Amino acid sequence: YIDVINRALLKLQENSRLDTLWSTILRNTGQCATTTATAQLTLQSLNGVFTVLGIGLLTSFVALIGEYVYVTWLDVRGKTAGCPYEQVRDTPCVWEVALTRVMRLKKNRL
């Protein structure tokens, strides 16, 4: 591979392409030009973001409605989603627990 690379470099040097490449590389100091145009954020430039957010929101609503219909269908058939009916029947309701705690706190304050 060394011979191929050397021949290519010699060919570039004969055509003076190597000198122009070196001059452009050395001339580039890495400094950005001071007069650069800035892009402004507009509704058109953010169109893709809003499209993805809208599709995600629509998909989540469809999943929510589907889950609600599935759980309701299981309840109508006498089954519960997640745990046996006896276990659900024996556990106290969340509101009952919250109300008893509030009542205990009120009793303790009196």
Side-chain angles (χ1 to χ4, degrees), residues 13-99:
Q13 191 173 11
E14 286 175 1
N15 297 335
S16 72
R17 289 280 315 238
L18 191 61
D19 293 332
T20 57
L21 285 173
W22 276 112
S23 65
T24 56
I25 290 172
L26 293 176
R27 197 173 19 172
N28 186 7
T29 60
Q31 299 286 333
C32 294
T34 57
T35 58
T36 58
T38 58
Q40 294 180 355
L41 290 177
T42 61
L43 189 60
Q44 261 183 334
S45 65
L46 296 174
N47 190 20
V49 174
F50 288 120
T51 302
V52 170
L53 285 173
I55 290 171
L57 185 67
L58 183 66
T59 305
S60 65
F61 276 127
V62 168
L64 176 71
I65 291 170
E67 185 177 352
Y68 180 75
V69 167
Y70 176 70
V71 170
T72 305
W73 180 65
L74 285 180
D75 284 343
V76 166
R77 291 182 54 204
K79 299 179 181 178
T80 57
C83 56
Y85 180 71
E86 291 82 22
Q87 184 180 355
V88 173
R89 187 182 59 198
D90 294 338
T91 56
C93 180
V94 175
W95 292 106
E96 289 176 17
V97 173
L99 286 175

